[in-house]
Structure formats: C-alpha cells, structure tokens
Amino acid sequence: MSWTIFDTWIAVTGMLCAISCAIPGSFLVLRKMSMMGDAISHAVLPGLAIAFFATGARDSFPMFIGAAVVGILTALFTQWISRFGQVDRGAAMGIVFTTLFAIGLILIVRAADHVDLDPGCVLYGAIELTPLDMVSFGPFELPRAAAVNGATLLVNLAIVILLFKELRLSSFDPALADTLGFSSGFIHYLLMTMVAVTTVAAFESVGSIIVIAMLIVPAATALLITRRLIPMLFIAAAVGAASSWIGHFMAIRIPPLFGVSDTTSSGMMAFAAGLLFTLAWIFAPHEGLVAQFLRARGKENRIPESTTQSPLR
Amino acid sequence: MPLISAHAKPVASAHLPEHPKDSPLSIHDLTVAYHRKPVIWDIDLNIPEGSLVGIVGPNGAGKSTLLKACLELIPKTSGLINVYGQPYQKQRHLVGYVPQRESVDWDFPISALDVVAMGTYRRLGWFKKVGKKERAKARKAMEQVGIGEYADRQISQLSGGQQQRVFLARALVQDAQLYFMDEPFAAVDAATEQAIVELLKDLRSQGKTCIVVHHDLATVSKYFDWLILLNMRVVAAGPTKEVFTRENLHKTYGGKLDLLDSASLALAQS
C-alpha cells in the first residue's frame, strides 16, 4: 500500500491530537495523577451522550461543554468521595469513573438507535475515516478532526504559555501556591477541564481508550530523557508527534508483510508511543538502562581502591 | 513647672508604648478536627514580635496542623486567628511559609533557582513572568544561605541539607514579617543546621518573627527565645527559660522516658 494524501491527513490529525494531549498529560504525570487522565477520559462519555441527545448531531461545541462539565464533576466527585466516604483517592476514582462510564455507555447504546453514533467509534476512534469529513477555511481544506484537534492544541498552548508559572508552582508545591494567593484548587480544576476538553477533541479520532496513551506515554518518555520542565514539554510533544507518524506508517506497512490488510492506525500510534518509551527507557542519557549499567560498571572498577581503605579490612 | 511636667510625660510613657503593636500572631480558642476527631483543641496564643518561637511536642501532637491552620491550608473547626491584628486573608503578604521538606517531590523537573524564585510570585501576581530582577533576588538569597553555586542544578541533585536551604532561600525572597517553618532542622547536616540558626538570628535582628516546628529537645534552649509545648492542647507557652522545665516536658511527652532523658541532659547543660 502506498502513502497517499489521505495517509498524510491521518498522520497530521494524529499528530495534532498527540501534541495537544502531551501538554496537560505532562502536568498529570508530574502531579502523579496519571490515572486521573484515565478516569476523566472515560467519565466524559455521559457528557458526550447527553450532548448528542440534546442536539441530535455530532456537533463539536455542545460536546465540549458536556465533556468539560462532566470532567470537572469527575474531579469533584472523586474529591468528595475520598473526603467524606473516607476511602483513598484511587478507590474513589475507580468508583466515579466506572459509574459515569457505565452511564455513558448505556446512553450511547440507546442513542445509537436514534443518532449516527457507533459505540465502537467512541471507544476506539475512527482515525482512518477523518479524511472523508473535510471542512474548508477559505482556500484551505482540511479534515474536520484535524481542525478540532488543532483548535484544542492552540487553546492548550495559550493556557500553558500564559499560566506556565502558576501550573508549575501548584504542581510542585500546592501548599505554597495557596499561601502565595494562587489557588491550587482553581489550577487543579483548570487542568482537569483541559484534560476533559482535550479528550473530547481526541476521542473522535483515537477513541476514549487510546487517548490515555497519548496523555501519559509521551510525557513519561520525556521525563526519562530530561529533568527540565520546558524541554520536557517539547520532548513530550515530539514523542507524541513521532508516534503518530510512525504508528500510521506501521499500520499500513507491517500487516501486508504478513499477507493481511492494514490494521487500526490509532492502535498502532499508541503502540509506537510505547515503543518510543521502551527505547527511552533503555537509552536515556542518565536514567536509561544502558547509562545505569555503564555507571554501575564504572563504580565496580573503582571498588578495589576504596576497599583497601575500608576499616573492615 | 509646666516645662518639667511637659518634659516628664514622654519619659514616663516610654515604657508603655501609646499604640501597643499588634502581635504578629494571636490565636484565640482554635480547634481543628479531622473526621470529627479533634487534632488540636482550645489553642490560645499571643506571639511576641521579633522572637524565635519553637513548637515542640510528641508525634501526632498537632504541630504541623497548627501551622497549616494558621495559613488556612486546612479548615479550622472554630476559633480566631489574627496576623498583626487582622485576619490572615488580609495579611498574606506579611507571611512566609517553609513547608516540610518531604512535602514536595524532589524529582520534579525544576532547577534550584526556579524553586527559590517562587518566593517572588506573590509580588508578580498572575500571568507575569519571572524576570531578571526576580532571578537576581533569588540568586542573592541563595548566596546568603550558602548555596549560590548550586543555582542551576536540578533539585534532585542536591543533598538533603541543600534542599532545605533552597526552601529557606525561597522564604527569604518572600520578604515576609512572620515566618512559619515546619521542621527545617529535620535530617540536615551540621553545616546546614548552623546556616539555619544564623539565618533565624538574622531575621530576628530585623524584627521579624519566626515560628518553627522543632523536634530536637537538646537544642531548644539554645535556639529559641520563646517556646510552645504542644500536645493537642498548649501545655505551656512563654519565654523558653520559664516554660522549658522538666515538669512541663513530662506533661507534654507523658511517659516517653528516653526522650525525657535527652531533654534533662539539655536542661542540665543550659
């Protein structure tokens, strides 16, 4: 199968989606809240379903509102349940997002009878179909999904540029943020809203499950490579973008080698992200396995000198 | 005659200031409960200005809780807290906070200088970026606590003592009048301990007040002018010389004799 303009659009859509996920994803990873991304990406489902019911169409704007509302509710409910129910955060999250996800699934299966909506698409996305749904901006024509993900990326970029100092402060030391007058609660819910909105923008292309890979894996990979926040954001974006191109390329090239037709691109994109993570894990300059091995061997060579001076001898 | 009386009046009032200055921190009937279980009860305190105040007490006595309640980081069940005569919300700019070292993730991708510069954020406000002026101020504070050369290091590459000094430099940059410090002496090397003591004395000489959660009874009388003995309630509070007694320590720590032995050692030394 040869690479066509369709393939370029698919990879571009995946890339825009991955980069816009990498921004809130990096802060989730730094706050040790990766599972919150998982929870929110699942929990927005009922918000989407209700938006479908209300408008009867796959219109993006009501979906964003619905998702943002449910995303914030997820974060709120989790907080409440862990505080008043006296269960730990992880358990509270598990209760909230599975319940909301279930409600969403029930609603979507019901909605599927009335509106053009396939539960499979919601879960796994349909990035292969994105070039079939084009919109035009003046002389330019691009897939609607690319436009939606691109717009989300711009919003996320604007937020991280304007509030970089505040996001970093409240991620590193929320108590200090509060005493300095920067409400860590506000920034927490802002980040949760970003995650919810980004997830919705992404879900049409990559689905609500694969999107977790885009939120977390590039950020975790970047954290293996650098110990500075700004480079981390850039590397996470680059890893996300690369896994999108590599993923789609592998999806159309590898299965034919085994005599079968091409496979799902979004799945391959997540797989490619995992592959890049593995590479970083092995070859990262300081934290990588190779670097650690070399360091350990360096130490071994030095042992004879130090043991001669050991009081145990 | 009228000359003499006019002259005598200000001399007499010199001992009693006409406008008594508000205490940096006055707490009235403070109770904090967690899941309906009180952690600290009926706290009444009036901290004198320009003093180094130690808070000591056994584990779970509510020392950190008391600090966090003053900073409104946790809700209080009842009571009144005033900072220089006004509620904390109005006086935030006068208050600096040094949290426990373990309260943050030291693997966070950030340089020591960037952490110290956080002390300038309040003055910067929302959206504004850290500029040259802020960075210079942070650098100066780092030099003041003896870690100037580590400004560009990622914070995980610092020793425990250096990390603690990063927090202190950040507090200095905040330029507060009243400081709350949560266990700054915990697990630091001797050089850092000395640097912190110098810093505290320096702050006191500028008329600032520091309230420090402390765990080492052996150094209490050396470091602090004023002491709060806490075990859910205030067992005793006042000038260290008056309240740091064997009897009060017994009331605070109960039957934990090994601790009391080191304390009595310290008392004997002082």
Side-chain angles (χ1 to χ4, degrees):
Chain A
M1 239 184 147
S2 62
W3 190 279
T4 65
I5 179 76
F6 285 103
D7 296 305
T8 304
W9 276 130
I10 291 168
V12 165
T13 306
M15 177 179 73
L16 290 171
C17 169
I19 298 175
S20 70
C21 283
I23 295 171
S26 294
F27 287 99
L28 284 180
V29 167
L30 287 177
R31 288 168 171 243
K32 311 212 184 302
M33 286 175 57
S34 305
M35 289 315 285
M36 200 68 197
D38 187 358
I40 287 182
S41 65
H42 282 70
V44 294
L45 218 54
L48 300 180
I50 290 165
F52 279 133
F53 268 130
T55 62
R58 300 207 307 190
D59 196 4
S60 291
F61 192 67
M63 278 166 38
F64 278 131
I65 306 285
V69 170
V70 180
I72 294 170
L73 285 180
T74 309
L76 264 179
F77 287 159
T78 305
Q79 202 118 349
W80 286 348
I81 291 178
S82 67
R83 188 183 298 165
F84 299 113
Q86 300 187 25
V87 293
D88 77 280
R89 256 187 101 80
M93 224 182 272
I95 295 163
V96 172
F97 94 78
T98 48
T99 308
L100 286 172
F101 183 67
I103 294 171
L105 209 57
I106 293 164
L107 287 174
I108 282 181
V109 171
R110 286 296 310 141
D113 297 341
H114 308 289
V115 292
D116 170 30
L117 178 67
D118 173 21
C121 283
V122 175
L123 297 184
Y124 312 118
I127 200 164
E128 292 83 0
L129 303 178
T130 49
L132 302 178
D133 184 6
M134 304 291 276
V135 288
S136 46
F137 293 93
F140 298 106
E141 204 181 32
L142 75 168
R144 202 176 53 83
V148 169
N149 280 310
T152 316
L153 172 58
L154 287 181
V155 171
N156 285 354
L157 271 178
I159 292 173
V160 84
I161 289 169
L162 274 174
L163 292 173
F164 179 76
K165 167 175 123 257
E166 290 77 4
L167 277 165
R168 184 170 70 175
L169 169 66
S170 73
S171 301
F172 175 64
D173 195 344
L176 183 82
D178 281 324
T179 66
L180 291 176
F182 301 96
S183 162
S184 63
F186 169 75
I187 299 198
H188 173 79
Y189 288 111
L190 176 74
L191 185 63
M192 294 306 121
T193 312
M194 275 170 86
V195 172
V197 169
T198 310
T199 308
V200 175
F203 103 103
E204 241 186 303
S205 7
V206 296
S208 66
I209 294 179
I210 302 296
V211 70
I212 303 154
M214 301 226 160
L215 281 169
I216 305 306
V217 182
T221 310
L223 200 52
L224 283 176
I225 296 172
T226 178
R227 283 288 168 188
R228 286 290 152 92
L229 184 49
I230 293 172
M232 177 188 169
L233 289 168
F234 277 104
I235 293 173
V239 169
S243 45
S244 162
W245 289 90
I246 297 169
H248 184 62
F249 182 80
M250 290 199 300
I252 60 173
R253 285 298 163 86
I254 290 181
L257 297 180
F258 301 98
V260 286
S261 65
D262 53 354
T263 181
T264 159
S265 290
S266 56
M268 268 299 189
M269 286 172 184
F271 175 69
L275 217 57
L276 290 175
F277 176 84
T278 312
L279 285 177
W281 181 46
I282 297 171
F283 297 110
H286 299 289
E287 313 286 322
L289 288 180
V290 172
Q292 279 181 19
F293 173 75
L294 290 177
R295 249 202 321 271
R297 214 178 55 173
K299 263 183 202 146
E300 245 167 58
N301 290 340
R302 260 181 275 127
I303 280 176
E305 285 171 45
S306 59
T307 44
T308 50
Q309 290 159 358
S310 162
L312 291 171
R313 279 263 163 132
Chain B
M1 287 299 273
L3 241 169
I4 294 167
S5 67
H7 183 73
K9 211 176 175 183
V11 172
S13 63
H15 299 282
L16 276 170
E18 279 170 275
H19 302 288
K21 261 201 149 176
D22 285 309
S23 161
L25 179 70
S26 61
I27 300 175
H28 187 63
D29 266 349
L30 173 72
T31 296
V32 177
Y34 184 69
H35 288 318
R36 294 195 177 178
K37 225 177 101 192
V39 184
I40 47 176
W41 290 35
D42 293 341
I43 307 287
D44 274 285
L45 287 169
N46 267 301
I47 306 291
E49 186 166 29
S51 47
L52 300 181
V53 180
I55 303 180
V56 296
N59 287 337
K63 296 171 298 224
S64 292
T65 304
L66 177 59
L67 291 200
K68 286 180 182 156
C70 292
L71 292 156
E72 297 191 356
L73 292 172
I74 49 173
K76 51 184 191 242
T77 310
S78 63
L80 206 76
I81 302 172
N82 276 341
V83 174
Y84 288 100
Q86 300 246 25
Y88 168 74
Q89 288 291 341
K90 286 187 182 169
Q91 305 282 54
R92 262 194 182 149
H93 58 285
L94 297 174
V95 180
Y97 176 41
V98 180
Q100 274 186 34
R101 185 151 54 86
E102 310 90 82
S103 71
V104 303
D105 170 19
W106 290 94
D107 282 328
F108 198 91
I110 191 168
S111 72
L113 185 76
D114 286 336
V115 174
V116 175
M118 284 175 177
T120 66
Y121 284 11
R122 187 209 318 277
R123 222 153 289 153
L124 277 172
W126 289 85
F127 306 116
K128 286 202 198 84
K129 306 272 171 239
V130 170
K132 243 185 202 156
K133 208 178 90 191
E134 285 77 26
R135 237 173 255 128
K137 202 172 172 187
R139 220 172 265 276
K140 208 181 126 205
M142 292 186 80
E143 271 155 29
Q144 205 179 327
V145 297
I147 50 168
E149 65 213 275
Y150 305 119
D152 296 320
R153 284 225 189 147
Q154 197 267 323
I155 51 174
S156 67
Q157 298 170 328
L158 302 173
S159 73
Q162 289 161 347
Q163 290 173 346
Q164 190 63 59
R165 288 197 232 183
V166 165
F167 267 8
L168 286 161
R170 184 174 73 179
L172 276 181
V173 168
Q174 282 191 48
D175 228 345
Q177 283 298 313
L178 169 65
Y179 284 104
F180 291 97
M181 304 185 181
D182 205 343
E183 302 242 18
F185 292 106
V188 297
D189 53 291
T192 301
E193 178 140 359
Q194 206 45 50
I196 300 172
V197 172
E198 294 303 321
L199 180 77
L200 289 175
K201 285 180 178 163
D202 196 38
L203 290 170
R204 176 177 59 188
S205 70
Q206 296 170 39
K208 300 182 176 190
T209 308
C210 301
I211 300 174
V212 182
V213 173
H214 196 57
H215 63 285
D216 182 13
L217 290 174
T219 50
V220 161
S221 45
K222 219 163 71 187
Y223 293 168
F224 301 108
D225 329 314
W226 223 82
L227 194 64
I228 301 166
L229 290 162
L230 188 74
N231 190 352
M232 292 178 76
R233 297 163 186 270
V234 173
V235 176
T240 308
K241 275 182 198 143
E242 290 167 27
V243 301
F244 195 55
T245 63
R246 185 166 245 290
E247 196 195 341
N248 279 339
L249 286 171
H250 236 296
K251 276 193 226 161
T252 315
Y253 285 88
K256 287 166 191 160
L257 285 169
D258 47 338
L259 271 168
L260 283 178
D261 280 346
S262 69
S264 53
L265 198 81
L267 281 172
Q269 283 170 346
S270 65

